[in-house]
């Protein structure tokens, strides 16, 4: 299998060295620029699989490069920046960036984001559902939060897919049973409650303050807007 190539454009040497080391440990081939000069021409002639692109760079800034690259290519781009303002994030995404990471960051988080973006961009669009921090790959039964695998069972995945496909709708336990199980299986309300409990726990194990599924007293459950 051909190794995927990551282009790292970062002017802070210590950060670049860490990103290069971690990327290579994950089996990626890396190319590196410490300024914006020559990056767009390189991308035209070498076609990396993904670009880690710093926002603030000498000669040509990251937003300008992102815009220029999007004129001829849909190569996945993850913007990397020390700017935390919402307007900077939105501007980067509007120009065509696929994701956005703010410094300081964990190298492991960056690797998880790279894997998630490569997975998403290599999949048929009708196989992927994205909502907020979540990405679901229907054919693979894989659910990610912030790029990390939630390791749902097949039933947990089906339940979560049902919720995320109908955000804000309240499902009774009977609705969930009818949607997720075939009618030859005897399932109780308690089974559903246990599955919801497990789904919540797996999400909270990765992000403790995230609770997208809430109970509606006397009715059932819903995925929050």
């Amino acid at each position: 299998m051909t190794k995927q190539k990551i282009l790292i454009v970062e002017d802070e040497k210590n950060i670049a060295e860490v990103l290069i080391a971690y990327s290579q440990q994950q089996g990626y081939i890396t190319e590196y620029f410490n300024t914006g000069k020559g990056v767009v021409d390189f991308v035209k002639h070498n076609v990396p699989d993904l670009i880690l692109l710093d926002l603030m760079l000498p000669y040509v800034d990251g937003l300008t490069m992102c815009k220029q690259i999007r004129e001829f290519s849909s190569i996945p781009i993850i913007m990397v920046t020390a700017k935390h303002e919402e307007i900077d994030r939105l501007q980067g995404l509007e120009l065509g960036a696929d994701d956005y990471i703010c410094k300081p960051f964990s190298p492991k988080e960056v690797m998880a984001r790279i894997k998630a973006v490569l997975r998403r961009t290599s999949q048929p669009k009708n196989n992927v559902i994205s909502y907020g921090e979540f990405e679901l790959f229907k054919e693979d039964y894989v659910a990610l939060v912030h790029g990390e695998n939630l390791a749902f069972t097949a039933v947990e995945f089906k339940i979560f897919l049902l919720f995320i496909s109908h955000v804000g709708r309240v499902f009774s336990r009977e609705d969930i049973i009818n949607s997720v199980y075939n009618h030859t299986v005897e399932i109780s309300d308690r089974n559903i409650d246990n599955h919801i409990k497990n789904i919540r726990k797996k999400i909270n194990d990765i992000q403790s303050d995230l609770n997208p599924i809430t109970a509606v007293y006397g009715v059932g459950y819903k995925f929050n807007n």
Side-chain angles (χ1 to χ4, degrees):
M1 183 176 179
T2 304
K3 289 186 176 182
Q4 292 174 302
K5 183 185 295 182
I6 306 296
L7 173 61
I8 298 169
V9 188
E10 170 61 64
D11 64 332
E12 294 186 50
K13 184 178 179 181
N14 59 331
I15 293 177
E17 288 175 347
V18 171
L19 291 173
I20 290 169
Y22 269 79
S23 296
Q24 291 178 352
Q25 286 174 10
Q26 294 297 313
Y28 299 114
I29 297 171
T30 58
E31 299 286 350
Y32 170 58
F33 281 75
N34 63 358
T35 76
K37 184 183 290 187
V39 171
V40 174
D41 284 340
F42 177 87
V43 172
K44 285 181 179 178
H45 295 99
N46 293 274
V47 193
D49 293 286
L50 182 140
I51 305 171
L52 281 176
L53 182 59
D54 190 31
L55 182 63
M56 304 300 292
L57 291 162
Y59 300 108
V60 186
D61 65 86
L63 288 176
T64 299
M65 276 188 286
C66 183
K67 183 178 180 180
Q68 292 173 346
I69 291 168
R70 280 293 171 261
E71 290 175 356
F72 66 87
S73 175
S74 59
I75 291 169
I77 297 173
I78 299 178
M79 302 292 296
V80 182
T81 181
K83 288 192 173 184
H84 289 253
E85 293 84 352
E86 182 73 7
I87 187 65
D88 295 311
R89 176 180 180 277
L90 292 175
Q91 190 175 7
L93 295 177
E94 286 172 359
L95 287 175
D98 295 272
D99 203 351
Y100 196 96
I101 300 174
C102 289
K103 302 174 185 177
F105 51 73
S106 160
K108 289 183 179 180
E109 177 193 0
V110 179
M111 294 304 107
R113 296 285 190 95
I114 288 173
K115 289 179 181 179
V117 169
L118 287 172
R119 179 192 288 270
R120 182 176 70 237
T121 54
S122 67
Q123 294 277 345
K125 290 188 176 180
N126 61 359
N127 184 42
V128 184
I129 292 182
S130 299
Y131 188 88
E133 302 90 342
F134 297 99
E135 288 181 300
L136 275 68
F137 299 86
K138 294 186 286 186
E139 291 183 4
D140 301 326
Y141 280 65
V142 170
L144 309 178
V145 59
H146 291 305
E148 293 194 47
N149 194 340
L150 288 162
F152 286 154
T153 66
V155 171
E156 290 165 1
F157 180 87
K158 289 179 181 179
I159 292 173
F160 198 71
L161 176 62
L162 176 66
F163 281 119
I164 209 168
S165 300
H166 302 86
V167 174
R169 175 178 166 182
V170 179
F171 288 93
S172 68
R173 291 166 180 82
E174 184 178 358
D175 291 333
I176 297 170
I177 291 170
N178 290 337
S179 296
V180 172
Y181 292 91
N182 62 56
H183 295 288
T184 63
V185 180
E186 190 69 30
I187 300 297
S188 69
D189 288 354
R190 173 166 282 190
N191 291 132
I192 297 301
D193 292 339
N194 285 334
H195 286 311
I196 298 294
K197 180 180 178 181
N198 290 336
I199 290 170
R200 286 170 166 168
K201 182 180 184 306
K202 290 179 179 180
I203 293 171
N204 290 156
D205 284 346
I206 295 175
Q207 185 171 336
S208 59
D209 62 344
L210 191 58
N211 184 25
I213 299 177
T214 56
V216 179
Y217 184 74
V219 184
Y221 297 96
K222 73 171 183 176
F223 192 101
N224 300 319
N225 291 312

